[in-house]
Amino acid sequence: MLYETSGRTEEVLGVNIEDLDFAGRRCPLKSKGARTKARRRGQAREDYVLETVYWDAGTARLLPRLLKGRTRGPVFVTHRKPGPGKVVSPRDVCPDTGFARLSYGQARALLDEHTAVRGPGTGWDLHEYRHSSLTHLGEQGASLLMLMAKSRHKKPENVRRYFKPSPDAIAELTSLLAPGDSRR
């Protein structure tokens, strides 16, 4: 889901099942630096302008396996209930299983555990999914504006640091300059 949405890990981990639009393959989420809606009388302080992330077939296939029949609560949960001394918001606990929402640290540790090749700390990083997603979209010809829309960045210079084309992509681009190329 991180790869296909190009989302930030904290944002994706904060999604609840009831927010998912399975048919449209999208969900609204509170993004980093989300601004609050204009407050009216009686409106809670937690009302934010939500942004939408989109995913494709890979995430659509995996979500039902991850949810295991759950219909409400956090999408990503731990494998156990919070301890007796742990204070957890009701929003961060699955009402059906009692399991707590997966934290960034737990997600990072799980990913490292399952991808490490030379011992702890050598596995993948959660943020690499965002980098890879934007790099692959850029290599496929997505414009800077589309990359900004997908990643929900406000400034072009922030997107540029994510886009690191491979040597093969640069070689293919260079081949467009070849003499006699009909694409010129």
Side-chain angles (χ1 to χ4, degrees), residues 22 58-70 75:
F22 291 100
T59 300
R61 274 194 312 271
L62 292 175
L63 274 175
R65 290 173 48 195
L66 175 69
L67 300 179
K68 298 178 185 167
R70 295 182 297 123
V75 173

Side-chain angles (χ1 to χ4, degrees), residues 75-109:
V75 173
F76 300 96
V77 293
T78 61
H79 63 284
R80 60 180 181 232
K81 298 178 181 183
K86 183 85 171 166
V87 178
V88 182
S89 163
R91 184 183 191 286
D92 293 333
V93 176
C94 176
D96 299 328
T97 63
F99 294 158
R101 183 181 304 277
L102 191 66
S103 71
Y104 183 92
Q106 292 166 326
R108 186 181 65 222

